[in-house]
Amino acid sequence: MFKQTLKQIVTYEAGKPIELVMREFGIKQDEIIKLGSNENPYGTSAKVIQTLQDNAYKASLYPDDSMYELKNALSARFGIESKEVIIGAGSDQIIEFCMQALNHQNACVIMAKVTFAMYEVYARLAGVEICKTASEQHNLTEFLQLYNECKSRNMRISAVFLCVPNNPLGECLDAQAVEDFIKQIDKDTLVIIDGAYQEFAAHKDALKAFNPAHLVSAFENVIYLGTFSKAYGLGGMRIGYGIASEAIINMLYKVRPPFNVTTLSLQAALVALEDRAFVEKYIESNAAQMLLYEDFARENGFSFIPSYANFITLTHKCIESTHLCDWLLSKGVIVRNLASYGLNALRITIGTPQQNVRVFELIKTYLQTHN
């Protein structure tokens, strides 16, 4: 009845919801700290909340399927044409569009060994072979070697996924290095640059910052993805965007269903994009609190990957990540166990100062009682 390829797909493990912790451990909602899904710990802009309240009556109406206002706002922000933008229910829906639209006959897709799990899910659903680099983190030398190896096997490479910064590890390639890599890739290979956490990377290091307008003008085979789920605090609204040449966008529109994002999501994203002060304040807080996590890691025997996102990945040679994550969960703190990626590591979203102090206290207690 079902596709055989589904047997190869591991169901995506989303971060545990607050409601689950309330039910399983009897912990009150206001005592739970959720740092497992890389959401904005400050919520969303007050201006967005007011807009949602003011426009709640539109919930019964289909959205403007042209998405005129948001596309124009994004074109103004990035210096591109509105016809070079596509909106999705999260940027991962645009990944799905890419996998549906590409010609995968006698082809493969290339990605890092450890990266956003939905790349593999959508690729397998499209029936395409998946090739991964040997290194867990992004290594462009390995990407190019793998690309050439696939070509030597007379295989086409339909797509290359670059997650910058990379989720779930946090490392980030330099923008110029990525451009140099793209120049060595055939024009019939789509390079998907996933910039879901770019706002954080650009703040930390200008060398990591991508210019979508430049990418579109310089490369006809690149699509840049962004989202409102992270820095803008709209994870619950499910809205993201893709920026590419008009030719690529036109092809993706052929697989896009009508009304794929909601009326209120469009309203929320439009206002969130305008409220730069809210986003900038959060990004600055994230950067400051990240330094505290790095200090905490060094002082307590953890190794970490320098992160350019709003989370940090920690490992400890004497601790099983599954046990620590489960223990924290029982105390009302939700973090992400990376065992599903084959790693003995945990990923923690950088929270508010108060949340982070609580996390540090709990992990110290764990170390004292379980070592």
Side-chain angles (χ1 to χ4, degrees), residues 204-314:
K204 184 173 183 177
D205 186 348
L207 295 178
K208 310 296 184 184
F210 284 83
N211 182 336
H214 170 67
L215 289 173
V216 170
S217 63
F219 304 105
E220 62 188 56
N221 60 327
V222 169
I223 183 167
Y224 174 89
L225 306 180
T227 184
F228 289 93
S229 296
K230 309 304 178 183
Y232 293 93
L234 294 182
M237 302 306 292
R238 306 304 302 126
I239 187 160
Y241 55 90
I243 298 173
S245 68
E246 183 181 4
I248 291 175
I249 297 299
N250 286 344
M251 290 297 103
L252 298 184
Y253 258 89
K254 293 180 182 294
V255 298
R256 182 192 72 94
F259 310 125
N260 61 309
V261 296
T262 72
T263 299
L264 293 179
S265 295
L266 289 170
Q267 294 281 161
L270 188 63
V271 175
L273 192 65
E274 294 171 351
D275 193 355
R276 294 197 186 193
F278 172 81
V279 174
E280 289 171 2
K281 184 177 180 181
Y282 165 43
I283 291 173
E284 290 171 1
S285 171
N286 179 80
Q289 293 297 305
M290 179 75 75
L291 295 176
L292 298 182
Y293 268 91
E294 292 177 356
D295 290 342
F296 175 82
R298 295 186 189 98
E299 293 166 3
N300 291 277
F302 285 92
S303 298
F304 66 90
I305 299 170
S307 176
Y308 292 84
N310 67 340
F311 59 82
I312 189 167
T313 298
L314 303 176

Side-chain angles (χ1 to χ4, degrees), residues 112-148:
K113 181 179 180 181
V114 177
T115 192
F116 184 43
M118 291 308 296
Y119 301 157
E120 182 170 352
V121 172
Y122 288 132
R124 289 199 182 281
L125 286 173
V128 62
E129 182 178 334
I130 296 166
C131 296
K132 297 183 179 182
T133 61
S135 298
E136 293 171 350
Q137 299 182 39
H138 281 61
N139 182 316
L140 288 177
T141 299
E142 290 185 13
F143 268 85
L144 189 58
Q145 289 174 344
L146 190 54
Y147 181 84
N148 289 325

Side-chain angles (χ1 to χ4, degrees), residues 142-207:
E142 290 185 13
F143 268 85
L144 189 58
Q145 289 174 344
L146 190 54
Y147 181 84
N148 289 325
E149 287 173 13
C150 291
K151 289 183 67 175
S152 70
R153 292 161 48 197
N154 294 319
M155 293 191 72
R156 293 175 48 256
I157 298 86
S158 54
V160 175
F161 287 98
L162 297 176
C163 192
V164 284
N166 185 27
N167 176 29
L169 298 182
E171 88 280 2
C172 189
L173 296 167
D174 285 354
Q176 186 59 56
V178 171
E179 289 194 26
D180 293 342
F181 168 78
I182 298 171
K183 292 173 183 175
Q184 302 176 75
I185 301 301
D186 293 338
K187 297 296 188 293
D188 64 347
T189 295
L190 181 65
V191 180
I192 301 170
I193 298 178
D194 187 346
Y197 299 89
Q198 258 293 302
E199 290 87 355
F200 306 99
H203 176 83
K204 184 173 183 177
D205 186 348
L207 295 178

